Amino acid sequence: MNVQGKSRPLADSYSRTVSYLRFSVTDRCNLHCVYCRGLKDVPVLRHNELLSYEEIIRLVRIAVGLGINKVRLTGGEPFARRDCDALIVGLREEFPDLNLRITTNGTLLQPHMDTLFKARVNAVNISLDSFNAQTFQRITGSDSLETVLAVLDELVARGMRVKINAVAMKGVTDRELEDFLKATARWPIDVRFIEFMPMGAQTIWERDSFLSAGEILQTLGSMSRLTPVENTHRDHGPARMFTVEGHKGRIGVISALSNHFCDSCNRLRITSDGNLRTCLFADAMTPLRDLLRNPDVSDAEVAQVIRKALANKPIGAELLRQRRQAAVAAMSMDSIGG
Ligand code: SAM
């Protein structure tokens, strides 16, 4: 199925056009990152509560018909779901020109490496918050830094476009900025710092743990010569990117809190249990799973439900400003997909 030139663009009530769909393919994750689910024992969904791969592919088909041309598989940890390769291959077979991307912690990726290349996955984002084994262990609860670095090496050597996402935390990231800079010298990758967002009722987010994009840029700018890169074709997403003099890679910041980018938000999210979320910060969701499982509901009817939900896509920054408790949303990223 061709993903270009579909029906009228999917637009919300603020005239933002939506072209990017993110799927949390599972809520399970093998890591326990402190800023995400942490060490808390979270009940995971039963298999039949997750969207099946057929349901995900059907939803992509419907979304492509609405003008979506970019899909990201995330989680939980996408490679923690059994036979994730079947989904990747299935998507590529049906949508040869879909911009297909994956966000992963990299720890379980190695056995799936060949599939990513065969399926022509367009880019892999690896969440990596530290290049120091002890810090990595402290943040994730896992000692798999070397595994992730080996995967990163191989992906880059085989020509995959790779981005590193690091959640910025005061007292942690700011002490290791030089390591991230060195990574841009070693690999031709984009290293992006994401401002820590207060997500999930149990969030450990505090004003004191917040490290802003501005602070990061100031420190990095004192260590190296950074030059802003124009985001001409929106190919950086919400990130502000910079070249680093003499380095192969670039650095960037995603300032979800300090300098929001709601005006240009082009995304929709589907949670692992099939709820459509039109804004990361809004807990209001539109359930799609039961519709997909109802033999009397057509693709056109599902499409209509998506259009209707989109009409109410909020401005997330407003929700953030109006929040009464630390967390802006009750659900943490592992269920939403980041
Ligand atoms: N397991 C995969 C991974 O680690 O990339 C995919 C899921 S993870 C929830 C997706 C992204 O959300 C990661 O880049 C993670 O760092 C980010 N994330 C999770 N909680 C966050 C928070 N509170 N603030 C900012 N980013 C967060």
Side-chain angles (χ1 to χ4, degrees), residues 242-257:
F242 298 81
T243 56
V244 183
E245 192 173 53
H247 291 197
K248 296 179 257 196
R250 311 185 295 181
I251 68 113
V253 288
I254 301 181
S255 51
L257 263 61

Side-chain angles (χ1 to χ4, degrees), residues 110 113 117 126 149-162 186-189 248:
Q110 175 46 234
M113 185 75 75
F117 285 92
I126 299 181
L149 294 180
V151 153
L152 170 58
D153 257 335
E154 186 173 344
L155 284 170
V156 171
R158 292 176 66 172
M160 179 65 75
R161 182 164 180 215
V162 178
R186 177 167 169 194
W187 294 287
I189 55 174
K248 296 179 257 196

Side-chain angles (χ1 to χ4, degrees), residues 39-279:
L39 287 174
K40 68 182 187 290
D41 220 359
V42 273
V44 286
L45 295 166
R46 291 191 303 271
H47 188 69
N48 67 349
E49 293 177 296
L50 297 173
L51 286 189
S52 69
Y53 291 159
E54 291 74 22
E55 287 163 346
I56 292 176
I57 292 175
R58 179 177 171 205
L59 214 37
V60 172
R61 193 178 306 129
I62 294 167
V64 163
L66 289 168
I68 295 289
N69 54 32
K70 176 173 168 182
V71 164
R72 178 175 302 281
L73 305 181
T74 171
E77 171 50 40
F79 294 112
R81 181 156 172 187
R82 193 177 309 156
D83 202 16
C84 185
D85 291 13
L87 175 62
I88 298 168
V89 169
L91 283 170
R92 181 51 83 217
E93 276 175 359
E94 187 166 348
F95 312 102
D97 52 359
L98 181 71
N99 188 338
L100 178 60
R101 300 178 176 220
I102 297 184
T103 295
T104 170
N105 60 40
T107 56
L108 306 172
L109 187 150
Q110 175 46 234
H112 307 273
M113 185 75 75
D114 287 342
T115 300
L116 299 188
F117 285 92
K118 270 192 217 133
R120 292 179 292 104
V121 166
N122 297 76
V124 175
N125 286 11
I126 299 181
S127 304
L128 178 57
D129 305 299
S130 174
F131 288 90
N132 174 293
Q134 270 107 43
T135 315
F136 182 93
Q137 166 110 44
R138 205 151 38 87
I139 295 173
T140 64
S142 157
D143 62 359
S144 44
L145 174 64
E146 286 307 319
T147 307
V148 179
L149 294 180
V151 153
L152 170 58
D153 257 335
E154 186 173 344
L155 284 170
V156 171
R158 292 176 66 172
M160 179 65 75
R161 182 164 180 215
V162 178
K163 298 181 188 180
I164 298 285
N165 289 334
V167 175
M169 288 172 285
K170 193 156 256 171
V172 183
T173 321
D174 45 356
R175 295 191 182 154
E176 300 186 2
L177 286 174
E178 202 178 341
D179 293 349
F180 289 97
L181 214 48
K182 282 187 190 151
T184 64
R186 177 167 169 194
W187 294 287
I189 55 174
D190 282 355
V191 171
R192 295 130 33 107
F193 299 95
I194 308 176
E195 284 182 348
F196 184 10
M197 293 177 250
M199 301 293 296
Q202 311 295 319
T203 184
I204 59 158
W205 189 94
E206 289 173 6
R207 230 160 263 292
D208 290 348
S209 55
F210 182 69
L211 178 67
S212 73
E215 290 171 275
I216 292 170
L217 288 177
Q218 196 173 17
T219 309
L220 288 174
S222 69
M223 296 172 173
S224 56
R225 194 180 157 91
L226 306 181
T227 308
V229 185
E230 235 184 292
N231 196 4
T232 331
H233 304 294
R234 285 186 57 97
D235 44 359
H236 310 164
R240 277 182 286 150
M241 296 305 303
F242 298 81
T243 56
V244 183
E245 192 173 53
H247 291 197
K248 296 179 257 196
R250 311 185 295 181
I251 68 113
V253 288
I254 301 181
S255 51
L257 263 61
S258 67
N259 186 9
H260 73 84
F261 31 80
C262 298
D263 292 351
S264 58
C265 180
N266 66 342
R267 339 174 142 194
L268 293 177
R269 293 176 166 83
I270 309 282
T271 63
S272 33
D273 50 352
N275 291 312
L276 171 67
R277 205 171 166 111
T278 59
C279 171

